[in-house]
């Protein structure tokens, strides 16, 4: 804990973390001990090329700028804060990677232990490294995310551990602050909100956030919520669970989303849509975001922009695409999408030849 107060007040020039900043909207008491790493206040970047392409004003909410590199920190600061308030000594989660990295970091900040179950062979290298280096007990299972979540639910009912997956309602409460920030940054709610959908907690959370901000008089309108799934892991689009989900976007490689109903509500109440994009559309958007907009996100994140590229939107609209996690999480995919240059001699001649030929 910072000696200055309950959170690290040196972060982001006065930003005190999202629980302190949005306290009035969150289920905390005046005496709640807040566990924060200064999450939130992520950049909303104007996307020049996408704006031109769609004749609209397109903004990218870059959640990779959170302390552990994904939006999961928004939910985790509150989930761990509430677990501590309830006297919990250990937390557990199933994860496609980012939840485990975030849970591990916040559990360490709270001096409680963290157990994570991940599908062996299907999480990006950076995320596995993070969970381990933050000190979590990592168990790789021979089974996919959906199986891991099933086991975690059971552990939560039978063992003295708190589940911090998004079936924990505090996760959604924390994540709704993403919508607050978008409105605070733009000055209004966008016409369209594009978002990747895996377990569907985040689309549920953003929709809740926008609605609460309208009720509080902070904005007048609500966006159309456009959820984007990967074609090989698109249960909500298909209308039934997918037994063996498969996509390069490992963070949304989920066949039976926990917040399925929340996603459908966000779609129907907002007059939005949920559809899928292929892995090659995801990778196109992934490369394009880095090359044209200077934003390096992970493949799952790029699905929101892949969805925007495919969608006819009213010219002049305002659009926000959430980019859920940082590109450095998944170096293997980045390397697979580029040509790594060969080494040359350290002479002007050799270097000139390499550059200009
Ligand atoms: C968790 C995650 C998602 C999916 O979010 P849900 O709330 O499960 O729908 C998308 N992208 C990244 C990078 C994630 O970590």
């Amino acid at each position: 804990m910072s000696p200055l107060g309950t959170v690290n007040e040196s972060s982001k020039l006065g930003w005190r973390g999202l629980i302190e900043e949005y306290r009035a909207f969150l289920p905390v008491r005046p005496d709640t001990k807040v566990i924060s790493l200064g999450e939130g206040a992520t950049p909303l970047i104007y996307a020049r090329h996408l704006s031109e392409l769609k004749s609209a004003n397109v903004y990218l909410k870059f959640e990779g700028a959170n302390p552990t590199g994904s939006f999961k920190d928004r939910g985790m600061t509150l989930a761990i804060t509430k677990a501590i308030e309830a006297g919990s000594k250990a937390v557990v989660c199933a994860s496609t990677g980012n939840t485990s990295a975030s849970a591990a970091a916040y559990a360490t900040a709270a001096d409680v232990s963290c157990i994570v179950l991940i599908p062996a062979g299907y999480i990006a290298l950076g995320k596995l490294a993070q969970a381990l280096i933050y000190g979590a007990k990592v168990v790789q299972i021979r089974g996919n995310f959906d199986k891991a979540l099933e086991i975690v639910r059971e552990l939560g009912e039978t063992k003295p551990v708190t589940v911090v997956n998004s079936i924990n309602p505090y996760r959604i409460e924390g994540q709704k602050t993403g919508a607050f920030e978008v409105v605070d940054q733009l000055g209004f709610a966008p016409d369209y909100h594009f978002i990747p959908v895996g377990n569907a907690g985040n689309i549920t959370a953003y929709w809740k956030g926008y609605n609460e901000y309208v009720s509080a008089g902070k904005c007048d309108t609500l966006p159309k919520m456009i959820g984007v799934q990967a074609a090989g892991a698109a249960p909500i689009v298909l209308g039934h669970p997918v037994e063996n989900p498969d996509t390069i976007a490992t963070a949304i490689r989920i066949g039976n989303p926990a917040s399925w109903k929340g996603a459908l509500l966000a779609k129907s109440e907002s007059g939005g849509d949920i559809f899928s994009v292929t892995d090659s559309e995801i990778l196109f958007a992934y490369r394009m975001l880095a090359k044209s907009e200077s934003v390096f996100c992970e493949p799952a994140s790029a699905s929101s922009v892949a969805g925007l590229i495919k969608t006819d939107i009213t010219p002049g609209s305002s659009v926000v695409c959430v980019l859920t996690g940082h590109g450095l999480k998944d170096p293997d995919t980045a390397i697979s999408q580029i040509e790594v240059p060969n080494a040359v001699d350290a002479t002007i001649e050799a270097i000139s030849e390499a550059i200009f030929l």
Side-chain angles (χ1 to χ4, degrees):
M1 269 320 105
S2 156
L4 295 172
T6 52
V7 296
N8 180 359
E9 284 170 301
S10 65
S11 68
K12 289 179 195 155
L13 302 175
W15 176 263
R16 296 161 300 160
L18 60 84
I19 294 181
E20 292 299 345
E21 298 296 332
Y22 294 114
R23 210 169 230 286
F25 293 90
L26 296 171
V28 284
R29 302 190 306 242
D31 64 339
T32 299
K33 179 182 162 192
V34 173
I35 308 297
S36 171
L37 297 171
E39 59 296 311
T42 57
L44 188 70
I45 301 164
Y46 185 71
R48 291 184 297 145
H49 293 92
L50 280 166
S51 293
E52 205 179 298
L53 182 72
K54 304 308 287 189
S55 303
N57 288 313
V58 180
Y59 300 86
L60 308 170
K61 182 68 171 156
F62 185 45
E63 291 290 279
N66 276 300
T68 78
S70 86
F71 78 84
K72 297 299 197 300
D73 295 345
R74 292 186 184 276
M76 208 54 76
T77 180
L78 191 63
I80 300 289
T81 291
K82 296 302 284 186
I84 298 307
E85 191 177 76
S88 180
K89 297 277 180 275
V91 299
V92 64
C93 65
S95 180
T96 58
N98 284 331
T99 299
S100 61
S102 187
Y106 284 83
T108 292
D111 286 327
V112 295
S113 61
C114 175
I115 303 144
V116 303
L117 265 60
I118 56 174
Y122 287 99
I123 82 163
L125 201 59
K127 304 176 189 179
L128 180 60
Q130 275 186 298
L132 291 166
I133 201 102
Y134 288 131
K137 286 183 198 136
V138 176
V139 185
Q140 301 209 58
I141 66 156
R142 288 184 214 99
N144 60 25
F145 171 84
D146 302 290
K147 185 72 200 165
L149 184 58
E150 214 179 290
I151 297 168
V152 160
R153 282 180 195 264
E154 212 174 304
L155 285 175
E157 281 161 20
T158 55
K159 300 268 195 274
V161 292
T162 304
V163 177
V164 293
N165 278 105
S166 57
I167 52 176
N168 177 326
Y170 299 122
R171 283 277 309 280
I172 308 275
E173 287 298 306
Q175 284 170 208
K176 76 187 180 188
T177 61
F180 299 166
E181 285 183 23
V182 167
V183 173
D184 289 343
Q185 287 169 310
L186 279 180
F188 51 86
D191 298 313
Y192 296 87
H193 182 101
F194 284 79
I195 185 165
V197 174
N199 217 18
N202 215 23
I203 187 172
T204 303
Y206 267 90
W207 183 235
K208 188 165 199 282
Y210 282 123
N211 276 283
E212 288 186 13
Y213 243 31
V214 165
S215 298
K218 299 273 193 180
C219 57
D220 305 322
T221 60
L222 291 164
K224 289 187 192 309
M225 300 296 293
I226 316 286
V228 186
Q229 298 206 288
I236 298 175
V237 179
L238 296 170
H240 58 78
V242 172
E243 188 78 29
N244 295 305
D246 189 28
T247 167
I248 190 159
T250 49
I252 52 173
R253 188 175 171 274
I254 291 174
N256 191 12
S259 299
W260 195 316
K261 283 191 188 131
L264 287 180
L265 265 185
K267 171 190 157 172
S268 62
E269 290 181 353
S270 74
D273 198 5
I274 298 179
F275 61 91
S276 65
V277 293
T278 63
D279 278 9
S280 67
E281 288 170 331
I282 289 173
L283 288 172
F284 176 84
Y286 168 79
R287 291 188 303 265
M288 189 258 213
L289 278 166
K291 240 182 123 115
S292 302
E293 309 291 1
S294 310
V295 181
F296 183 30
C297 63
E298 64 174 283
S301 310
S303 64
S304 60
V305 169
L308 169 62
I309 291 172
K310 278 174 83 164
T311 304
D312 274 330
I313 57 164
T314 314
S317 299
S318 54
V319 179
V320 168
C321 295
V322 179
L323 299 181
T324 44
H326 203 292
L328 291 172
K329 293 271 193 175
D330 189 355
D332 292 328
T333 298
I335 295 287
S336 79
Q337 294 300 302
I338 50 164
E339 230 173 283
V340 180
N342 291 323
V344 301
D345 289 339
T347 64
I348 288 289
E349 294 75 21
I351 292 165
S352 299
E353 198 174 324
I355 297 169
F356 299 113
L357 286 183

